[in-house]
Structures are given as structure tokens and as C-alpha cells.
């Protein structure tokens, strides 16, 4: 947030400098620099949107209730589904020539084929003789279920209905201007036991 404030402050400084009598060419340059600072300040504002796929995200059914007697409190409604969330492994690998990082970036900013949403799929495969599960978005692999979660997915595979959430995080640059990788967390919705 400090970075955003600093960018806006510099933008204001250059904006007011443009009107301080430095000549027409100096004013135009100062206005152009101010516009750049405002643009980068605007781009660095934290996004409040949460990325979700097209599936239902509510896990508590809403039902009409009769007016209860004053001394009796209504029983809590049990959740209709179980959920499993995990961060994907292998998000820095490539799918042939295409980087999974570029796919995650497109999902985060809803670019290209992800502008209308994300269709997620869980696909089992085998890795070094062990069971593994890949997570695919619109047919492209994003990553895999982490090794410590494979047994949980395997035990509950028949109960999995769909994905209820996807969140892409990271990206951009850190305070030392080093590139930060994108990461991804997904949530599976399961039938209640």
C-alpha cells in the first residue's frame, strides 16, 4: 500500500510542477510523467475481486422456516457438502512450450480464454509409479495435487462433485523488484458422507 501512495504523491508533484512556469515543453513532459505515476499507482491498487469458477459456492441450503415457539431455538442447519482446499504443486513447470505461470496470470486477470470464466477439471494420472492428480483449467494443466494430499483425494475421489473455488495469488514484483511467481489454491466440493 505504501508503494501505491508513493506513486500517487509523485504523480501529484509532477502534475503541479507542470503549472509552475517551466515552459510548454517542460509542462508537457511533467504532465506525461505525472500520468505515468498515476497509471502505475492505479495499477498497484489491491484488487478486491475473488476469482471463482462457474460452480455454486454456497454450502448452506436456505430453507423457509415456520415461526418457532419463543422458548425453542431452531436447530442449526448442517452443511450439505464437504470441502477440501489445497495449494497446487508444480505451478512453475511448463506444459510443452507454454508456461503454467502465464496460464495462472491469465486466470487472475481474466484474460483471453479465461475472460468468461474457468472450467476446472481433476484428472488422475501416474507419476513414478505412484497415483497423482492434475488440475486443469479449460483443458490446460495448472499444476498437481500436492503429494501430502494425494491419499486424501484418493480416499474421497468417488465423493468429488466439482470445484467450488479457485484463487490465483502472487505475481508482480517484491520490494527488491524481483519477479514473484503466481500460486493457486483450489477447493473441491464433495458429497456429504
Amino acid at each position: 500500500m505504501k508503494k501505491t501512495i508513493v506513486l500517487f504523491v509523485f504523480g501529484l508533484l509532477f502534475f503541479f510542477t507542470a503549472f509552475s512556469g517551466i515552459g510548454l515543453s517542460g509542462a508537457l513532459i511533467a504532465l506525461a510523467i505525472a500520468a505515468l505515476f498515476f497509471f502505475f499507482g492505479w495499477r498497484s491498487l489491491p484488487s478486491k475481486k475473488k476469482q471463482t469458477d462457474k460452480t455454486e459456492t454456497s454450502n448452506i441450503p436456505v430453507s423457509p422456516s415456520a415461526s418457532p415457539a419463543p422458548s425453542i431455538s431452531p436447530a442449526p442447519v448442517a452443511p450439505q457438502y464437504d470441502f477440501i482446499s489445497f495449494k497446487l504443486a508444480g505451478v512453475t513447470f511448463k506444459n510443452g512450450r507454454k508456461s503454467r505461470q502465464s496460464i495462472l496470470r491469465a486466470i487472475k486477470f481474466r484474460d483471453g480464454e479465461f475472460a468468461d470464466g474457468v472450467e476446472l477439471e481433476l484428472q488422475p494420472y501416474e507419476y513414478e509409479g505412484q497415483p497423482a492428480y492434475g488440475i486443469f483449467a479449460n483443458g490446460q494443466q495448472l499444476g498437481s495435487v500436492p503429494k501430502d494430499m494425494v491419499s486424501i483425494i484418493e480416499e474421497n475421489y468417488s465423493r468429488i462433485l466439482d470445484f467450488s473455488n479457485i484463487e490465483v495469488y502472487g505475481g508482480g514484483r517484491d520490494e527488491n523488484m524481483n519477479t514473484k511467481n503466481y500460486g493457486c489454491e483450489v477447493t473441491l466440493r464433495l458429497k456429504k458422507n
Side-chain angles (χ1 to χ4, degrees):
M1 190 65 178
K2 280 193 235 179
K3 178 180 168 184
T4 303
I5 294 170
V6 169
L7 288 169
F8 280 122
V9 167
F10 276 114
L12 284 172
L13 287 174
F14 276 97
F15 179 78
F16 289 122
T17 302
F19 299 104
S20 67
I22 59 173
L24 180 60
S25 62
L28 291 175
I29 292 171
L31 285 174
I33 293 171
L36 284 172
F37 276 113
F38 285 130
F39 174 74
F40 288 120
W42 173 76
R43 286 220 25 206
S44 68
L45 288 172
S47 175
K48 300 293 184 216
K49 289 183 180 178
K50 186 158 185 157
Q51 304 286 331
T52 58
D53 65 356
K54 294 180 182 177
T55 61
E56 174 186 330
T57 57
S58 174
N59 62 350
I60 301 176
V62 178
S63 60
S65 59
S67 53
S71 62
I72 302 173
S73 61
V77 178
Q80 195 174 3
Y81 305 104
D82 287 329
F83 294 90
I84 299 174
S85 294
F86 53 89
K87 293 181 179 178
L88 301 187
V91 295
T92 58
F93 295 165
K94 290 189 174 195
N95 298 339
R97 295 182 131 189
K98 190 166 189 178
S99 163
R100 293 179 184 173
Q101 287 291 297
S102 64
I103 299 168
L104 289 170
R105 185 201 177 286
I107 292 171
K108 182 174 184 172
F109 294 106
R110 296 201 173 267
D111 289 339
E113 67 179 285
F114 301 105
D116 295 329
V118 180
E119 186 176 320
L120 295 172
E121 189 178 355
L122 178 71
Q123 293 183 8
Y125 66 97
E126 197 172 288
Y127 180 73
E128 296 180 349
Q130 298 295 318
Y133 295 90
I135 308 299
F136 291 76
N138 296 8
Q140 301 176 69
Q141 188 168 5
L142 298 177
S144 300
V145 173
K147 197 180 233 182
D148 62 332
M149 293 293 295
V150 169
S151 62
I152 295 169
I153 299 298
E154 214 167 38
E155 291 167 12
N156 295 289
Y157 192 76
S158 63
R159 296 177 48 217
I160 297 173
L161 296 171
D162 55 16
F163 287 87
S164 67
N165 189 40
I166 178 172
E167 181 181 352
V168 177
Y169 55 87
R173 298 195 178 272
D174 63 14
E175 58 278 349
N176 297 325
M177 299 309 289
N178 297 319
T179 303
K180 293 178 6 185
N181 287 327
Y182 290 99
C184 183
E185 183 175 355
V186 295
T187 303
L188 288 169
R189 184 171 62 142
L190 288 71
K191 288 184 270 190
K192 200 79 168 153
N193 261 345

